[in-house]
Amino acid sequence: MRPRPPFVLAAALAALAAGCGGSGVHGTPGGPGLRDPYFPKAGNGGYDVRHYGLVLDYDPARRHLSGTATVTARATEALSAFDLDLDGLTVEEVTVDGRTARWSRAGQELTVRPRDGLRRGATFRVTARYSGEPVTITDHDGSEEGWLHTADGAVGLGEPTGSMAWFPGNHHPSDKAAYDLTVTVPEGLRAVSNGELTSERTEGGRTTSTWHSAEPMPSHAATVAIGRFDVTRTTTRDGLPVLTAVDPEQAAAGKAVLGRVPEIMEWAGDLFGPYPFSSTGAIVDRPGDAGYALETQTRPYFAGAPDLRTLVHELAHQWYGNSVTPKTWADVWLAEGFATYAEWLWDEDHGGDSAQHTFDTFYATGEGLWAFPPAEPPDAAHLFESPVYQGGAMVLHRVRRTVGDDAFRALLRGWAAAHRHGNADTADFTAYVEKSAPGTDFTPLWREWLHGSGTPPRP
């Protein structure tokens, strides 16, 4: 059992009360979850995060993380208390607007009660100091996320809920924010994260790196990778900074494909519209370090040197998934289906199979694609399976065949622009498609391909 401050019982009881201190604000506690259909405890009610300021110090030898998280948010209702998501780690102190606050822990919920209530619309700053060995979270499908120990350091990976293993926050895709991350590690190692590297210095045997992400980011797309990396900087023809950080053991294997990042970004920009962030690149660890790739914002993470299609997939996610982010995890096909279809389009535009040929191949051989509808995974264990990825891509191909190539390419750009840096759900998408092609009846398409059970009729 982790130690608790002596006033924890009083704090827990006070968090249940509706009344606030002497501020005259009569608020209620914010909800401890957003009732996501697959992760009901994820996220928290009552506030909207605007910025995360994270200061971390990590010692791989002891597997010990010390952190200070400063979360700047706006209260969306009058609050007597609010929750942050944090799994594991020991909380040492919590302040709200510089004043010590009472707090309690229950599972992944860190409940904070300010001395004074928070008025609706007020901007407030909560700072939490914490430390310990971060946990690795096993997902419903058996994969691991959270804080993963690597051959020479560690990596924080967050999809769908793992970011709460290394910093407290509102960990749901519907609440996006800007980030500033400062990480100190032993000399000889580097810390690589999202956005732009604004400073790096080594003093007293420790190296401190600071990263800035100005554009809104869902917490599951935040990352920090700690280890030995060869860092390469270049730009696209339009001047977009490209930073790749590669484990030295993967440098030779990854050189050719990572060298195509500028080419992929230029192709994707022509197809999907202006790139929504201010830098790009990749992080490459060793194959056994995580076991999968992830679309961490601006700088996708790869366990081992990626192949070309995987690189295209994760970079396409910067438009669809990171900029246009699903409102809930029920809408994840809007990320994975689009990124998968980007692979098909890349092949089609670069001398490979046409998207129609790929569609036909999957239709003929992909019985597993119809295990459940792309927009309706049965539970959290099935969120990242073929019906969501290839099935979602097939929905998009059916839209393309319905509206025509030119209209579909306009739709790709328009959808990315309409929800740039925002959130969208399946109903938003179907409404957008229908509005883009007035007079066309999409009802059979949605019924059979997006929400239907079993194999759709052969088109």
Side-chain angles (χ1 to χ4, degrees), residues 67-148:
T68 299
T70 299
V71 183
T72 303
R74 181 181 65 85
T76 56
E77 58 188 78
L79 292 172
S80 62
F82 58 89
D83 283 24
L84 299 169
D85 299 314
L86 182 65
D87 190 354
L89 299 168
T90 298
V91 176
E92 296 158 0
E93 182 186 34
V94 179
T95 64
V96 177
D97 292 331
R99 304 178 69 189
T100 300
R102 293 174 290 181
W103 56 271
S104 62
R105 300 288 298 275
Q108 71 183 54
E109 302 298 327
L110 168 61
T111 301
V112 179
R113 179 176 168 80
R115 290 191 182 184
D116 295 318
L118 298 170
R119 296 182 182 277
R120 180 179 180 180
T123 297
F124 64 96
R125 180 179 297 172
V126 54
T127 300
R129 290 196 301 108
Y130 57 96
S131 63
E133 180 177 345
V135 299
T136 297
I137 298 171
T138 300
D139 289 334
H140 293 76
D141 62 4
S143 61
E144 292 185 334
E145 56 166 331
W147 195 262
L148 307 182

Side-chain angles (χ1 to χ4, degrees), residues 174-320:
S174 62
D175 194 0
K176 300 160 72 169
Y179 283 71
D180 283 285
L181 179 70
T182 298
V183 190
T184 300
V185 296
E187 185 176 2
L189 303 182
R190 308 183 83 147
V192 184
S193 187
N194 316 88
E196 288 73 61
L197 178 64
T198 59
S199 69
E200 192 169 55
R201 66 184 186 277
T202 299
E203 296 176 356
R206 308 281 287 171
T207 298
T208 299
S209 305
T210 299
W211 296 83
H212 174 64
S213 297
E215 299 89 1
M217 177 163 63
S219 64
H220 70 264
T223 190
V224 58
I226 297 166
R228 293 177 176 84
F229 293 105
D230 293 337
V231 174
T232 301
R233 293 178 176 84
T234 184
T235 62
T236 66
R237 285 188 295 184
D238 293 335
L240 179 70
V242 180
L243 186 150
T244 59
V246 184
D247 185 289
E249 291 192 4
Q250 297 297 303
K255 183 177 181 180
V257 68
L258 293 174
R260 301 187 71 174
V261 169
E263 175 191 356
I264 296 169
M265 296 303 295
E266 291 162 10
W267 168 82
D270 288 342
L271 189 58
F272 306 142
Y275 181 60
F277 305 112
S278 51
S279 66
T280 188
I283 301 169
V284 181
D285 258 331
R286 301 179 195 180
D289 286 341
Y292 56 86
L294 188 63
E295 62 270 22
T296 44
Q297 191 157 300
T298 66
R299 197 153 289 109
Y301 175 87
F302 302 93
D307 59 47
L308 183 58
R309 294 191 84 202
T310 302
L311 183 60
V312 169
H313 181 107
E314 304 304 341
L315 290 175
H317 267 310
Q318 306 308 309
W319 282 263
Y320 309 112

Side-chain angles (χ1 to χ4, degrees), residues 7-27:
F7 47 77
V8 67
L9 179 58
L13 293 173
L16 297 176
C20 300
S23 65
V25 177
H26 298 287

Side-chain angles (χ1 to χ4, degrees), residues 145-171:
E145 56 166 331
W147 195 262
L148 307 182
H149 303 293
T150 63
D152 55 1
V155 61
L157 298 176
E159 190 175 80
T161 64
S163 294
M164 64 181 175
W166 53 284
F167 67 96
N170 200 23
H171 292 301

